[in-house]
Amino acid sequence: ETGVTQTPRHLVMGMTNKKSLKCEQHLGHNAMYWYKQSAKKPLELMFVYSLEERVENNSVPSRFSPECPNSSHLFLHLHTLQPEDSALYLCASSQEWVTNSPLHFGNGTRLTVT
Amino acid sequence: EDKVVQSPLSLVVHEGDTVTLNCSYEVTNFRSLLWYKQEKKAPTFLFMLTSSGIEKKSGRLSSILDKKELFSILNITATQTGDSAVYLCAVGVPRGAGKSTFGDGTTLTVKP
């Protein structure tokens, strides 16, 4: 495997469910990110981790909870979501957080909240 | 607030045409401008521009930055159906790549 891998590809969940999104990067990068992509809106940065330490939390509601157990893995834990949280959730990685190196994206998880 | 505006929002051309996509920006501390191509799911990196007037080129794609007028263009010559995608422009500021502000994207459709 190469690049950035996200699972699952699709997820449908009710508002009372708890689920997790998983991201794995095989590029040896030090920084990992969660982005939200909604229809007709620009990509929105949610969280940034650099060397497993959270360095950015962009005013994201607490129903989204990230976890970075090591530099290759990133999770997004979801609970009591709202229908407006339905979107494409993209994970990305980059060589370093501070040097503006290009982002490498996964294929995303298409989340539908019913 | 940092702002990135792409135009046009959508464009339909025929194979062989040349297209120019625009990206203008207003940011407090500019560091770089990046172009990505998003075909179905994952955006893929195309170019990173940091200096004015220096063209970056990759095959039929090229891009240039004007830091005085605060914009960049992405040119695609001899378009092919495989060029159909959403093209995203992002502006990076010194705090790191993850702080890039993305534009809404330009949806390019190339018809046979």
Side-chain angles (χ1 to χ4, degrees):
Chain A
E1 288 189 23
T2 59
V4 180
T5 305
Q6 288 186 245
T7 55
R9 298 292 292 271
H10 300 273
L11 178 62
V12 179
M13 59 187 288
M15 289 191 284
T16 57
N17 291 159
K18 286 186 181 181
K19 296 285 183 184
S20 296
L21 310 185
K22 180 182 175 182
C23 177
E24 186 173 358
Q25 59 99 357
H26 305 274
L27 299 168
H29 288 168
N30 290 326
M32 295 188 77
Y33 313 81
W34 281 115
Y35 279 89
K36 177 183 178 183
Q37 189 173 38
S38 306
K40 299 185 181 177
K41 290 177 74 174
L43 276 166
E44 300 172 56
L45 177 66
M46 300 176 73
F47 301 104
V48 182
Y49 277 83
S50 176
L51 297 171
E52 301 143 48
E53 181 181 339
R54 191 192 306 180
V55 293
E56 287 289 340
N57 177 354
N58 242 18
S59 303
V60 179
S62 60
R63 56 186 184 269
F64 295 91
S65 174
E67 179 191 359
C68 187
N70 55 63
S71 60
S72 298
H73 293 85
L74 186 65
F75 295 89
L76 188 63
H77 304 298
L78 316 171
H79 65 97
T80 58
L81 293 191
Q82 305 297 312
E84 60 264 29
D85 296 323
S86 299
L88 179 67
Y89 288 84
L90 289 164
C91 173
S93 69
S94 67
Q95 190 69 45
E96 303 287 346
W97 173 59
V98 296
T99 59
N100 275 294
S101 48
L103 298 167
H104 295 254
F105 287 88
N107 278 323
T109 294
R110 174 69 63 188
L111 173 67
T112 303
V113 181
T114 61
Chain B
E1 186 180 323
D2 293 345
K3 194 191 310 184
V4 178
V5 178
Q6 291 187 245
S7 62
L9 289 181
S10 65
L11 189 56
V12 180
V13 300
H14 288 91
E15 274 192 315
D17 289 349
T18 293
V19 297
T20 298
L21 310 183
N22 302 290
C23 175
S24 63
Y25 61 91
E26 293 176 27
V27 299
T28 307
N29 288 297
F30 177 86
R31 180 80 175 260
S32 58
L33 187 142
L34 300 98
W35 284 96
Y36 294 86
K37 177 183 181 183
Q38 186 174 22
E39 291 182 75
K40 289 190 178 174
K41 293 285 183 73
T44 54
F45 169 73
L46 294 175
F47 299 110
M48 183 166 76
L49 304 155
T50 55
S51 301
S52 264
I54 299 174
E55 185 183 54
K56 293 268 180 110
K57 200 169 170 64
S58 176
R60 296 175 294 102
L61 277 67
S62 64
S63 184
I64 198 160
L65 174 68
D66 186 328
K67 289 168 76 172
K68 183 179 175 186
E69 300 298 329
L70 308 182
F71 76 93
S72 172
I73 59 172
L74 175 68
N75 276 322
I76 309 175
T77 59
T79 52
Q80 302 171 357
T81 54
D83 294 326
S84 296
V86 177
Y87 289 84
L88 298 168
C89 172
V91 174
V93 293
R95 293 197 63 193
K99 290 294 284 184
S100 297
T101 299
F102 281 84
D104 288 340
T106 293
T107 301
L108 174 65
T109 304
V110 181
K111 293 189 170 182

